[in-house]
Structures are given as structure tokens and as C-alpha cells.
């Protein structure tokens, strides 16, 4: 199985400041079709996860452009600029390259 | 409006079988896949398996021997059945569409005698 490793486990951010979350995969997520199969999700407290970024750098529908995704074949970053109170929650990276799809352990974002 | 809603028993006895239903609206099961993802209390996400739009399925190898996913397209429902439940199967079970762009609210399943 592909192992997804996130860092840090938690991050505390002042509202209005930026935050970055890292994710590393144990195998290249670049598919034979040239698609990087890396996704980011946010799970707000008590809620279902929501899709933020698909295919490494594409913003999901309705997601503010304060969120952005970047990376290589195995190292990925989610950046949140100008953090707002609604951004609090746990962020997960995950892949869809092969079965089983797996997720990182999550990064908890809190406000200072 | 796209919606998914899980339903099923909140409590299952150890060694018994879990049966869950995901009822969808706003899209067709023949156009989009539906996945099952679970989350133990306070822990991360685990992909369980998928019902593809064409009717084929795929499962997490860690659960494959216990898990079955089926559907009734006429009722817009996807079913999950998992046998030999143990306490470690206690979790919130979600169904989610396609690229996980829409999720159900989740159903909490507790395995306990």
C-alpha cells in the first residue's frame, strides 16, 4: 500500500497569516496518463470531509482561492493564505493512484 | 442538488454482519461511482471500497474477505455488507461520490455486545 505521511501533525496559525501542510507519498503519484493523483480534504469539527484540491493543484468547486496545492511526484504542499476561522479542522491528503486508496494521518489546524 | 445519505443500525454485536445503505439523489449511479470510507472515533480516514458506475467493484485488500458492495440503480442505492465485525470496526461510515466531491453525513456504527 502507498503510505501517505503528513507534517506537521498540528499547526497553530494567527488569523490572516499563511499556513503550509506537507504530504509525502511512499511512491510516485504520477500516473501513466500524466496525472498526479494527489488530493486534499478538510474535515471541519463534527462534519464530513470536503474536497479542497484534486490532482495536486486543481481547486475544487466552491473552494476559496486562498487554498492552493503544489508538489512533485512524491512531495506535496497545501498552502492556505490569509487563514480564516472557517479553515479550522483536520486536513488530509490522499491518493487515488491504485488500490487501496490511502490517506495521510491528518494535520490539525488551530487558530492562535 | 447532489445528496448522499447513509442509513443502518447504530449498534452491531461482535461477529455479526453490518448492512448499510447509501441513498443518493441529484445524480445517477450509472454515471458516477460511489465509495465507502470509514473513520474510527478520533482517527483518520480509511477507504473501504467502490461501486463503479459500470457496476464493477473494488475493495481494500485489508477488508476484502469480509466486505461486499452492491447497488440497486432503480432505487439509487448502494449497499455495504461487512461480516465478522469486531470492536475495531467501530467507526463513522461515509459514502462519497466519485472524486469524493460530495459526502454523506455519515453513520456511526458501534460494535459492542
Amino acid at each position: 500500500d502507498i503510505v501517505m505521511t503528513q507534517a506537521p501533525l498540528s499547526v497553530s496559525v494567527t488569523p490572516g497569516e499563511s499556513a503550509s501542510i506537507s504530504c509525502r507519498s511512499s511512491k510516485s503519484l504520477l500516473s501513466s496518463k500524466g496525472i498526479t493523483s494527489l488530493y486534499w480534504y478538510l474535515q471541519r469539527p463534527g462534519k464530513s470531509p470536503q474536497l479542497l484540491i484534486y490532482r495536486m493543484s486543481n481547486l475544487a468547486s466552491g473552494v476559496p482561492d486562498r487554498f492552493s496545492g503544489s508538489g512533485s511526484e512524491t512531495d506535496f504542499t497545501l498552502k492556505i493564505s490569509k487563514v480564516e476561522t472557517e479553515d479550522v479542522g483536520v486536513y488530509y491528503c490522499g491518493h487515488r493512484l491504485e488500490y487501496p486508496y490511502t490517506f495521510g494521518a491528518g494535520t490539525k489546524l488551530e487558530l492562535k | 442538488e447532489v445528496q448522499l445519505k447513509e442509513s443502518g443500525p447504530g449498534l452491531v454485536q461482535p461477529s455479526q454482519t453490518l448492512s448499510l445503505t447509501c441513498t443518493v439523489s441529484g445524480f445517477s449511479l450509472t454515471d458516477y461511482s460511489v465509495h465507502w470510507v470509514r473513520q474510527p472515533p478520533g482517527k483518520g480516514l480509511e477507504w473501504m471500497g467502490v461501486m463503479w458506475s459500470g457496476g464493477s467493484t473494488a475493495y481494500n485488500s485489508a477488508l476484502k474477505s469480509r466486505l461486499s458492495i452492491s447497488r440497486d440503480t432503480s432505487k439509487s442505492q448502494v449497499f455495504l455488507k461487512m461480516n465478522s465485525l469486531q470492536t475495531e470496526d467501530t467507526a463513522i461510515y461515509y459514502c462519497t461520490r466519485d472524486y469524493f466531491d460530495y459526502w454523506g453525513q455519515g453513520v456511526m456504527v458501534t460494535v459492542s455486545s
Side-chain angles (χ1 to χ4, degrees):
Chain A
D1 298 0
I2 296 175
V3 177
M4 308 296 292
T5 303
Q6 288 184 233
L9 291 181
S10 66
V11 61
S12 184
V13 185
T14 300
E17 298 296 310
S18 295
S20 289
I21 298 170
S22 296
C23 174
R24 177 170 291 178
S25 59
S26 61
K27 175 180 176 178
S28 169
L29 298 185
L30 181 62
S31 74
S32 58
K33 296 181 179 179
I35 294 169
T36 304
S37 186
L38 187 280
Y39 297 75
W40 289 99
Y41 308 90
L42 164 61
Q43 186 173 32
R44 296 187 174 99
K47 301 296 185 182
S48 303
Q50 70 167 101
L51 177 66
L52 295 176
I53 302 286
Y54 64 96
R55 296 178 179 177
M56 189 174 72
S57 59
N58 297 278
L59 207 60
S61 177
V63 176
D65 60 6
R66 300 183 291 101
F67 292 89
S68 62
S70 62
S72 62
E73 295 185 19
T74 58
D75 288 274
F76 310 97
T77 301
L78 175 70
K79 183 174 180 179
I80 312 165
S81 62
K82 300 179 183 178
V83 169
E84 299 184 3
T85 54
E86 66 178 22
D87 300 336
V88 166
V90 180
Y91 290 79
Y92 295 96
C93 62
H95 80 85
R96 297 171 64 98
L97 183 70
E98 61 187 33
Y99 305 135
Y101 300 163
T102 55
F103 300 88
T107 296
K108 186 174 185 178
L109 186 146
E110 300 174 317
L111 297 181
K112 287 183 180 176
Chain B
E1 180 188 8
V2 172
Q3 291 186 334
L4 300 92
K5 185 173 184 178
E6 306 87 350
S7 58
L11 181 65
V12 179
Q13 293 199 341
S15 79
Q16 297 302 302
T17 297
L18 172 66
S19 295
L20 297 176
T21 300
C22 175
T23 303
V24 310
S25 58
F27 68 96
S28 171
L29 293 179
T30 57
D31 291 330
Y32 291 89
S33 60
V34 171
H35 300 248
W36 288 94
V37 174
R38 68 178 180 175
Q39 184 173 36
K43 296 190 176 181
L45 304 169
E46 179 182 30
W47 179 80
M48 301 180 71
V50 57
M51 169 60 74
W52 291 107
S53 58
S56 62
T57 55
Y59 302 106
N60 189 324
S61 53
L63 303 171
K64 189 174 184 177
S65 63
R66 301 194 290 140
L67 184 61
S68 175
I69 298 174
S70 59
R71 71 180 182 181
D72 183 334
T73 55
S74 67
K75 295 183 178 179
S76 294
Q77 293 179 323
V78 179
F79 310 104
L80 178 148
K81 285 187 186 286
M82 189 163 68
N83 58 33
S84 304
L85 254 63
Q86 301 301 321
T87 55
E88 51 265 34
D89 294 312
T90 293
I92 299 173
Y93 287 75
Y94 297 100
C95 57
T96 176
R97 190 184 81 158
D98 205 30
Y99 285 92
F100 303 176
D101 54 352
Y102 290 90
W103 294 67
Q105 63 192 19
V107 58
M108 179 67 205
V109 175
T110 300
V111 182
S112 174
S113 55

